[in-house]
């Protein structure tokens, strides 16, 4: 299982302002499906977040400390 970080900006359409949601899943496509099950697309076909990072990518960003004053909002686990 891998960790994926779904980050947010300031759009009022996002489920959160700043911060991120961590999804633990075997691969990116399953992480996206898990995320979408909890936070559906507002615009069809567009994932309702700013960006998606692998754990390795995320740890290299400044967001590791906070993202727009927010941190981890929730952790979602892929369930087959």
């Amino acid at each position: 299982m891998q960790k994926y970080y779904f980050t947010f900006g300031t759009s009022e359409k996002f489920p959160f302002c700043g911060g991120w949601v961590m999804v633990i899943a075997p691969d990116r496509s399953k992480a996206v499906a898990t995320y979408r099950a909890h936070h559906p697309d507002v615009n069809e076909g567009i994932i309702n977040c700013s960006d998606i990072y692998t754990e390795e990518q995320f740890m290299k960003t400044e967001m590791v400390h906070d993202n727009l004053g927010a941190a981890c909002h929730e952790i979602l686990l892929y369930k087959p």
Side-chain angles (χ1 to χ4, degrees):
M1 297 290 252
Q2 300 174 43
K3 295 177 183 173
Y4 295 88
Y5 295 79
F6 292 71
T7 61
F8 307 99
T10 58
S11 172
E12 292 181 6
K13 292 184 178 186
F14 291 149
F16 304 103
C17 181
W20 60 85
V21 168
M22 180 195 306
V23 178
I24 301 171
D27 58 47
R28 181 184 166 98
S29 66
K30 289 178 176 66
V32 169
T34 300
Y35 177 83
R36 281 180 158 149
H38 289 84
H39 303 288
D41 298 351
V42 172
N43 298 306
E44 189 175 336
I46 300 174
I47 302 165
N48 193 17
C49 68
S50 290
D51 211 339
I52 305 167
Y53 297 85
T54 63
E55 183 175 25
E56 181 180 354
Q57 293 168 329
F58 187 76
M59 292 303 160
K60 294 177 183 176
T61 72
E62 293 295 319
M63 289 182 284
V64 104
H65 304 291
D66 77 70
N67 176 18
L68 300 173
C72 186
H73 295 288
E74 63 185 345
I75 299 171
L76 304 174
L77 181 60
Y78 167 76
K79 294 178 186 168

